Amino acid sequence: AAGVIQSPRHLIKEKRETATLKCYPIPRHDTVYWYQQGPGQDPQFLISFYEKMQSDKGSIPDRFSAQQFSDYHSELNMSSLELGDSALYFCASSLPTLTNTQYFGPGTRLTVL
Amino acid sequence: GQQVMQIPQYQHVQEGEDFTTYCNSSTTLSNIQWYKQRPGGHPVFLIQLVKSGEVKKQKRLTFQFGEAKKNSSLHITATQTTDVGTYFCAGSSGGYQKVTFGTGTKLQVIP
């Protein structure tokens, strides 16, 4: 069965650089969620999209932005990177049901030097 | 905002012993989900509970949703080394709103 695809899987950036993470949801899933997980931490919700519109916003810094495109893939844009942005970034997708079960991608490991 | 706490934070058990993790929400939930994250992996959906007092079983795993829909538990009977990982509960207030993950319980099984 198709799963959530994230690219790249690993990314190394310098401070103050920008990064773009991509997420391709499971086919027919029209809701995408982004999470940030620091070492030993639980996933922190950043932002979600439903039908290409932002549906909810969590602890996403102002330096970050995201969008969902017409083919339902999503991109997380991160600017002015800081050392503290080093983390695993997960994308999850779900069908639009009341139970919103989320299926996670393998994650992108971002390292900011 | 909604907070979801889990206890214990860490648990070491001897293989064959039972294990339980508890999840408590600051607000009433419409549903609760459980995920397992293996070391170096991503969260994998295990189960979802929707009804008050609901109990569901998956082989050696038993999931329970509290009557007030503010707490939940996951019990593993006779742990195996394959059970190693971090177990997260995740609560939602329904609709398309965000899911708030619990703080997680890291399970280590000693062979």
Side-chain angles (χ1 to χ4, degrees), chain B residues 38-49:
Chain B
R38 292 181 184 275
H42 59 277
V44 174
F45 173 77
L46 294 177
I47 208 161
Q48 182 167 256
L49 304 170

Side-chain angles (χ1 to χ4, degrees), chain A residues 13-58:
Chain A
K13 290 284 185 179
E14 300 274 344
K15 280 196 308 184
R16 292 180 288 277
E17 285 190 324
T18 61
T20 297
L21 310 185
K22 297 185 178 182
C23 169
Y24 297 86
I26 292 171
R28 294 191 300 280
H29 284 200
D30 55 9
T31 304
V32 168
Y33 309 78
W34 285 98
Y35 292 87
Q36 178 191 60
Q37 187 176 33
Q41 304 295 312
D42 55 287
Q44 294 292 313
F45 171 75
L46 295 178
I47 195 166
S48 64
F49 292 88
Y50 166 64
E51 282 291 343
K52 293 153 277 185
M53 299 287 290
Q54 180 182 308
S55 54
D56 207 342
K57 195 172 183 179

Side-chain angles (χ1 to χ4, degrees), chain A residues 42-107:
Chain A
D42 55 287
Q44 294 292 313
F45 171 75
L46 295 178
I47 195 166
S48 64
F49 292 88
Y50 166 64
E51 282 291 343
K52 293 153 277 185
M53 299 287 290
Q54 180 182 308
S55 54
D56 207 342
K57 195 172 183 179
S59 52
I60 184 169
D62 292 339
R63 299 177 289 108
F64 295 5
S65 65
Q67 57 181 324
Q68 187 179 30
F69 295 85
S70 57
D71 63 351
Y72 296 105
H73 94 272
S74 178
E75 294 183 4
L76 176 66
N77 299 293
M78 311 159 73
S79 63
S80 303
L81 287 170
E82 302 173 357
L83 295 178
D85 296 328
S86 295
L88 258 175
Y89 289 84
F90 289 110
C91 170
S93 72
S94 71
L95 287 166
T97 68
L98 286 176
T99 53
N100 56 7
T101 300
Q102 297 179 32
Y103 297 87
F104 282 74

Side-chain angles (χ1 to χ4, degrees), chain B residues 11-109:
Chain B
Q11 183 83 61
H12 290 76
V13 298
Q14 204 73 36
E15 188 173 18
E17 291 183 336
D18 292 356
F19 158 76
T20 304
T21 173
Y22 299 91
C23 175
N24 293 286
S25 170
S26 59
T27 60
T28 302
L29 303 169
S30 61
N31 66 76
I32 194 153
Q33 300 162 19
W34 284 90
Y35 294 81
K36 176 183 178 182
Q37 186 174 22
R38 292 181 184 275
H42 59 277
V44 174
F45 173 77
L46 294 177
I47 208 161
Q48 182 167 256
L49 304 170
V50 179
K51 300 176 184 175
S52 169
E54 188 172 13
V55 177
K56 285 188 176 180
K57 292 191 176 185
Q58 283 182 352
K59 297 182 180 177
R60 295 178 294 103
L61 278 61
T62 301
F63 304 83
Q64 188 166 7
F65 202 7
E67 294 289 340
K69 301 183 77 172
K70 293 183 73 173
N71 56 70
S72 181
S73 64
L74 157 60
H75 180 81
I76 303 178
T77 303
T79 54
Q80 299 174 0
T81 54
T82 53
D83 296 325
V84 165
T86 301
Y87 292 84
F88 292 100
C89 63
S92 173
S93 297
Y96 305 118
Q97 293 180 32
K98 66 178 186 277
V99 168
T100 301
F101 274 75
T103 46
T105 295
K106 188 173 182 178
L107 173 64
Q108 188 62 257
V109 179

